[in-house]
Amino acid sequence: MDVSQSLKEACARPDSLFARSEEDLINLVYKEFPQDIDRLKRAYSIRDGPWTPPSTPSPSYILYKENYDEVNRTLVGFLALRWIHTDQYETFIGTQSPAPQLTRESFDWIRQFYAQVITDANTLYTLIYSIIINDLGKDPQLAIDYHTHTGEDISALNHDAILLQACKHGLIHSLDTLPAQDRDDVFKAIQLGATFNFGQLAQAENAPACLIALLEMKGSKRSFQIRFMEQILDIAGAAGNMDWTCAKKLIQPIFEGYRHVYEVYEGVTTGTLTLRSGYNWILIRRAVLLCLEDGVREFDVEGDPRDRALMRLFCLGNVTTRDKALLYEAAWDALDEGTRGRLERALNVDGVKGEPAVQPTYMPALLGRVYGRDALVCAFRFLCRVMSATDIGDPEVVVIERSVYKVLKEVVESEEFQNDPTILEGVDVPEGVVVL
């Protein structure tokens, strides 16, 4: 191994690059992007309850002799790229539960996509760079730096939008080191991410109006494909703050959701799908998946607004099994008629001027901490209030984002909520931010 070699130089020989030890790889990528990775030490993150860390040192411990959640999540995404390149399926799935485990066939699909897209050293380097900077907007200091630079407070924006604004004003210095074509493709992908999040569509968290961003990627296929690959690696590393030995979060149902997002991109950009039918494609695919389970009824996503609303809830709650589907439908039926009607209407709003849609950011994470029918009923009531709050005083607004992150951290994860989930009824609706 040539210790003087840069990451950019090493990308010319990917087989040799990914043959390096994990520690060498981590140090090599840190040497290339020290300021960007250091930013991630301050970034916020979410953990899935109690956990037992692996016995091996984490990527951030290798670098800093301390654990930093977002550094670990980002660098596990980078390591997942190595496992894909070197065909390490068993390492990739690692400690995933057997039932929803990523299949060998799906892993091969990812490898084939990677081989088709990452065909040269520049594209590989651009992909790695995209992995590293993807979550820089989660560093609160970046919004502070932006405020210092421009006088404008953007701290209420989502982290993707914060990153976009920082890039526009030259605050991400590493972006300027890329060749023009690569820099343009990365910037277009960041622009896409500010209004269109792959995971949010896969989980039906955003609104159909957000798919307009896909049309803007028409003619920018390389940029979109790099972004898609980066997003696959992002979810592969999403549990890297808790288990850095594998791609724990990229299980089969989640992968299928992301693959369906790619299908929607192809349909929307070729004109075979409208924005609404593209969105419905995600819901229909989830319905098809659930109907494979014994005891799950059929759902008419396109013809019945109630079924369509339920399927959005199933996507928001990552419902992939019969028992969970029955639990969610029981909680839905337990809502009073007025709340159920308002929630059904809100979940069916596409987002247009005069009738904006609400994007409940972090609602999938919140629902993931809610257990039992009664608590789920309370969560649905809260979601109804969030998604019905569309009056923002601007008739031109199409999509309003309301982040429930603070409610998740301060209320739902509290012991008080576990004892009495009705406390959600006293929680204010989060402030809205215009997305479109």
Side-chain angles (χ1 to χ4, degrees):
M1 181 193 72
D2 183 356
V3 294
S4 66
Q5 191 177 46
S6 69
L7 175 65
K8 186 171 289 187
E9 293 167 334
C11 284
R13 299 180 62 196
D15 289 346
S16 297
L17 170 64
F18 291 119
R20 297 177 183 227
S21 70
E22 184 174 298
E23 185 170 343
D24 285 343
L25 273 175
I26 289 167
N27 281 309
L28 182 65
V29 78
Y30 180 77
K31 186 173 76 170
E32 195 81 10
F33 310 114
Q35 292 180 329
D36 297 325
I37 295 175
D38 284 348
R39 272 198 181 277
L40 293 170
K41 291 164 64 177
R42 294 185 293 262
Y44 60 83
S45 67
I46 298 175
R47 289 183 177 175
D48 295 333
W51 61 296
T52 302
S55 58
T56 56
S58 71
S60 67
Y61 193 85
I62 289 171
L63 294 176
Y64 305 109
K65 303 305 178 189
E66 289 188 54
N67 281 315
Y68 294 100
D69 281 3
E70 281 302 314
V71 174
N72 285 332
R73 285 162 57 105
T74 296
L75 293 180
V76 170
F78 169 62
L79 293 175
L81 178 61
R82 175 201 196 194
W83 302 327
I84 290 166
H85 182 91
T86 55
D87 196 15
Q88 292 179 265
Y89 171 67
E90 295 298 332
T91 299
F92 195 91
I93 60 172
T95 58
Q96 291 182 6
S97 300
Q101 192 176 79
L102 186 76
T103 65
R104 176 75 219 198
E105 291 76 15
S106 294
F107 183 74
D108 288 341
W109 188 96
I110 296 171
R111 293 193 75 236
Q112 184 178 15
F113 185 87
Y114 164 73
Q116 289 173 347
V117 175
I118 311 303
T119 56
D120 57 76
N122 270 8
T123 308
L124 177 57
Y125 184 84
T126 302
L127 172 61
I128 294 171
Y129 177 71
S130 298
I131 296 168
I132 298 303
I133 68 164
N134 181 55
D135 284 330
L136 292 187
K138 292 181 178 180
D139 171 21
Q141 185 61 44
L142 189 58
I144 294 171
D145 292 346
Y146 183 89
H147 184 264
T148 301
H149 184 74
T150 68
E152 181 184 356
D153 181 9
I154 60 169
S155 60
L157 298 180
N158 68 63
H159 67 87
D160 291 311
I162 290 173
L163 177 60
L164 173 61
Q165 294 305 316
C167 289
K168 283 182 176 180
H169 286 80
L171 297 179
I172 307 299
H173 304 299
S174 53
L175 184 61
D176 295 329
T177 67
L178 298 179
Q181 179 62 58
D182 298 333
R183 183 170 64 250
D184 185 51
D185 282 339
V186 170
F187 186 74
K188 284 179 181 175
I190 292 170
Q191 281 184 305
L192 174 67
T195 56
F196 177 84
N197 181 290
F198 286 71
Q200 287 173 348
L201 177 56
Q203 299 172 119
E205 186 179 355
N206 59 10
C210 295
L211 273 65
I212 192 72
L214 294 180
L215 287 175
E216 296 169 5
M217 294 300 287
K218 198 171 182 177
S220 301
K221 189 171 183 177
R222 179 179 185 261
S223 176
F224 186 87
Q225 288 180 324
I226 292 173
R227 177 70 174 180
F228 179 76
M229 191 70 214
E230 179 266 309
Q231 289 288 287
I232 287 287
L233 294 166
D234 180 64
I235 196 68
N241 55 332
M242 302 175 70
D243 186 346
W244 40 85
T245 65
C246 66
K248 193 175 184 71
K249 281 282 188 181
L250 190 53
I251 56 176
Q252 186 63 25
I254 292 177
F255 165 73
E256 287 176 357
Y258 275 70
R259 184 169 58 185
H260 297 151
V261 169
Y262 193 81
E263 293 166 355
V264 171
Y265 156 75
E266 291 186 315
V268 169
T269 54
T270 58
T272 59
L273 291 173
T274 65
L275 302 189
R276 183 166 177 96
S277 64
Y279 197 92
N280 283 348
W281 181 250
I282 298 297
L283 305 180
I284 290 167
R285 299 314 299 169
R286 178 59 60 102
V288 169
L289 173 68
L290 282 170
C291 285
L292 296 175
E293 296 271 324
D294 289 336
V296 176
R297 69 177 179 87
E298 291 187 0
F299 294 87
D300 184 5
V301 169
E302 294 184 296
D304 186 340
R306 177 184 182 274
D307 280 0
R308 187 177 186 277
L310 264 175
M311 204 50 57
R312 275 201 72 183
L313 288 176
F314 286 177
C315 289
L316 282 166
N318 192 28
V319 175
T320 59
T321 65
R322 170 187 176 275
D323 289 347
K324 198 168 182 181
L326 295 177
L327 171 65
Y328 267 57
E329 191 155 14
W332 170 269
D333 290 338
L335 292 170
D336 65 88
E337 188 174 345
T339 299
R340 189 167 56 247
R342 287 191 299 275
L343 183 55
E344 178 183 312
R345 286 192 295 274
L347 289 166
N348 279 293
V349 173
D350 288 356
V352 294
K353 292 178 182 178
E355 191 182 21
V358 172
Q359 178 174 300
T361 307
Y362 287 104
M363 184 55 69
L366 187 151
L367 290 174
R369 306 298 191 280
V370 176
Y371 309 102
R373 195 200 73 162
D374 292 345
L376 200 54
V377 168
C378 294
F380 286 174
R381 286 179 185 146
F382 175 67
L383 177 62
C384 179
R385 290 196 291 123
V386 170
M387 296 196 68
S388 300
T390 60
D391 185 7
I392 204 163
D394 184 347
E396 298 297 306
V397 171
V398 173
V399 178
I400 303 164
E401 179 180 39
R402 295 190 185 276
S403 173
V404 301
Y405 177 79
K406 190 174 180 181
V407 178
L408 164 64
K409 301 301 289 184
E410 296 181 1
V411 180
V412 174
E413 290 186 346
S414 72
E415 186 175 343
E416 186 181 1
F417 175 81
Q418 304 307 317
N419 296 328
D420 179 18
T422 63
I423 64 171
L424 261 182
E425 295 174 6
V427 175
D428 291 337
V429 170
E431 181 182 352
V433 176
V434 174
V435 175
L436 283 175

